[in-house]
Amino acid sequence: MGELLLLIISIGAGFLGALLGLGGGIIIVPVLTLFYGIDIRYAIAASLISIVATSSGAAAGYLKDSLTNLRLAVLLEVGTVLGAVVGFLLASVVQQKHLFLLFGSFLMFSAVMMLRRREEHLTATNHPWAEKLKLDGSFPNEHGQWQTYKIQNVPIGLITMFGAGILSALLGIGSGIFKVLAMDGAMKLPIKVSSATSNFMIGVTASASAGAYFLKGDVRPELAAPVAVGIILGSLGGAKVMVKMPAARIRKIFVVVLAVVSIQMITKGLL
Amino acid sequence: MEKRQDSLFKLELIISQVLRTGVLISGTCLLVGWLWMWYHGGDIYALKFYEEHSLLEAFQWALLMQNRGFFICMAGFAVLISLPLIRVFMTGVLFLKQKEYLLSVLAFGVFLALILSFSLGLEL
């Protein structure tokens, strides 16, 4: 019975994740560890698998959106993948209680970030690296007109992506929050472009450590299969009803839930 | 020139189709494999405690128990994990065709880093 419930919870996690623009990992890891009492290392591996699934599905549509900056994604993937390699190596030495503390802190940070209003910080000049690699681009704005943009602080972006990769492998998350923070905050990309490019990159980041966990034997099919299937189905549903749901209100409720779960995770890490 | 643009667009379309089909195949494998395992008495509560089992040991055990669901799931995971790898490789080819050599090197670098990362799972 627990298995069927897990499938239903995973569908819910995928649905909510798509609705709020979050990965399913932020929901599924706490559910598996706090509710089911599953070892956090199995939960992290299962979560990474589901992130690869949803992100690969989303990346398939990049041709249509005209928002994803493929050239920038390739450059930043160098940072995230190398970070994921380091994160995977760290995961084998970090104690379980520290993973709980780190995850709890990440949830609290995510809750605070969800309350933040994202603002455009566009720039008129390119960083030399962006100039050399022709990373700037254009996208269709809300009026349907093509708007050009430039990119700043490329090295800061790369360093942040490295950190995002470490956290992804350590905690089983997509690290989208850090990716968009670097892209629309430091690199001055338009919000729409940074969100689309982040979603496009998440699958590659997650697969770096998911592949390693898989070959290590930590991806257990009895757990990871229903979680992945549930999150794929849920995210498909979430994306379809997105425009009809009161996302702002759900977001506020979810911030409170995140804060409570964060305290629970931190407490578990301290005990 | 137009012919070249056309072939690039076709390649982008292929990348998109590979990803979509891959998710569909792996999702189906995972669903079928999981249902199979569940029907034959799989138990997630056994995962409350972490045990070091290499993938090879898990395969040997599943072979001994004739656990077909396990193998179907594993095929699903393998397809799923290889999708970003394929995507990165094909992006490298795309940039190569566009004569964007620096970006192509970066894409193939990411591809090699992914292989390196996967191999770490075998060593540990």
Side-chain angles (χ1 to χ4, degrees):
Chain A
M1 205 56 207
E3 279 84 355
L4 193 61
L5 187 62
L6 179 60
L7 180 73
I8 295 166
I9 291 172
S10 303
I11 292 174
F15 184 87
L16 207 56
L19 200 67
L20 301 176
L22 300 162
I26 201 169
I27 304 165
I28 211 72
V29 174
V31 167
L32 290 176
T33 51
L34 298 176
F35 185 65
Y36 279 90
I38 304 281
D39 188 284
I40 194 165
R41 284 160 287 194
Y42 291 133
I44 286 168
S47 168
L48 284 167
I49 290 289
S50 67
I51 293 167
V52 175
T54 48
S55 178
S56 295
Y62 87 96
L63 267 177
K64 283 186 201 158
D65 67 16
S66 307
L67 293 171
T68 304
N69 186 328
L70 185 62
R71 303 169 76 91
L72 179 66
V74 166
L75 173 69
L76 297 180
E77 275 166 2
V78 175
T80 60
V81 171
L82 291 178
V85 171
V86 174
F88 177 75
L89 291 172
L90 281 175
S92 56
V93 290
V94 174
Q95 286 180 13
Q96 214 187 137
K97 62 176 182 177
H98 294 137
L99 287 177
F100 274 103
L101 284 174
L102 201 57
F103 205 103
S105 311
F106 164 70
L107 288 182
M108 193 56 89
F109 177 74
S110 303
V112 173
M113 292 309 289
M114 280 182 79
L115 291 172
R116 182 188 72 125
R117 195 182 154 86
R118 281 171 79 186
E119 283 171 16
E120 299 277 16
H121 306 275
L122 300 178
T123 175
T125 53
N126 261 337
H127 182 270
W129 294 9
E131 197 67 39
K132 168 104 179 138
L133 291 166
K134 291 180 262 173
L135 299 179
D136 51 350
S138 59
F139 74 106
N141 64 18
E142 58 270 28
H143 309 295
Q145 294 158 331
W146 285 87
Q147 190 180 327
T148 57
Y149 60 86
K150 304 278 181 187
I151 298 175
Q152 275 294 323
N153 303 318
V154 180
I156 294 175
L158 260 175
I159 293 167
T160 314
M161 295 302 151
F162 181 75
I166 294 178
L167 286 177
S168 168
L170 262 181
L171 304 178
I173 54 169
S175 291
I177 279 184
F178 301 107
K179 287 180 181 132
V180 292
L181 202 61
M183 281 194 272
D184 58 46
M187 300 175 81
K188 322 275 186 210
L189 280 154
I191 289 173
K192 279 183 175 182
V193 176
S194 88
S195 298
T197 308
S198 164
N199 287 340
F200 185 77
M201 288 164 54
I202 282 173
V204 171
T205 315
S207 80
S209 46
Y213 284 117
F214 175 66
L215 292 174
K216 195 179 169 213
D218 285 355
V219 177
R220 303 296 289 263
E222 58 272 51
L223 182 71
V227 166
V229 170
I231 288 188
I232 293 173
L233 293 176
S235 61
L236 284 174
K240 278 199 175 133
V241 300
M242 218 167 159
V243 283
K244 296 175 200 156
M245 298 282 283
R249 185 178 292 176
I250 297 171
R251 205 176 179 84
K252 279 180 191 157
I253 298 167
F254 192 67
V255 166
V256 179
V257 176
L258 268 188
V260 173
V261 176
S262 152
I263 292 164
Q264 281 183 303
M265 293 290 272
I266 291 172
T267 311
K268 189 153 177 153
L270 291 172
L271 290 176
Chain B
M1 182 70 184
E2 204 171 281
K3 204 172 176 184
R4 217 189 78 169
Q5 283 297 327
D6 224 31
S7 79
L8 291 176
F9 182 72
K10 267 186 196 159
L11 187 59
E12 285 193 314
L13 216 58
I14 291 170
I15 297 175
S16 185
Q17 278 167 350
V18 165
L19 291 175
R20 229 183 281 275
T21 314
V23 172
L24 195 68
I25 292 172
S26 62
T28 310
C29 283
L30 293 179
L31 180 63
V32 172
W34 171 63
L35 287 174
W36 195 303
M37 287 178 80
W38 186 29
Y39 181 73
H40 289 91
D43 181 19
I44 52 166
Y45 293 103
L47 301 177
K48 284 191 173 186
F49 303 100
Y50 184 76
E51 283 177 63
E52 288 264 356
H53 280 308
S54 73
L55 190 64
L56 190 67
E57 284 170 329
F59 266 91
Q60 285 168 339
W61 180 248
L63 205 61
L64 196 72
M65 303 303 288
Q66 294 193 317
N67 188 347
R68 287 179 196 166
F70 174 88
F71 291 107
I72 298 170
C73 280
M74 286 295 152
F77 291 137
V79 171
L80 196 60
I81 290 166
S82 63
L83 288 179
L85 200 67
I86 296 168
R87 201 272 284 158
V88 169
F89 185 82
M90 289 175 88
T91 307
V93 174
L94 185 77
F95 284 132
L96 205 58
K97 285 195 166 193
Q98 288 175 326
K99 301 194 191 312
E100 295 279 3
Y101 299 115
L102 194 52
L103 284 169
S104 178
V105 167
L106 286 176
F108 288 124
V110 172
F111 177 79
L112 290 177
L114 282 172
I115 303 271
L116 165 80
S117 183
F118 290 5
S119 67
L120 289 174
L122 283 176
E123 286 171 14
L124 290 172

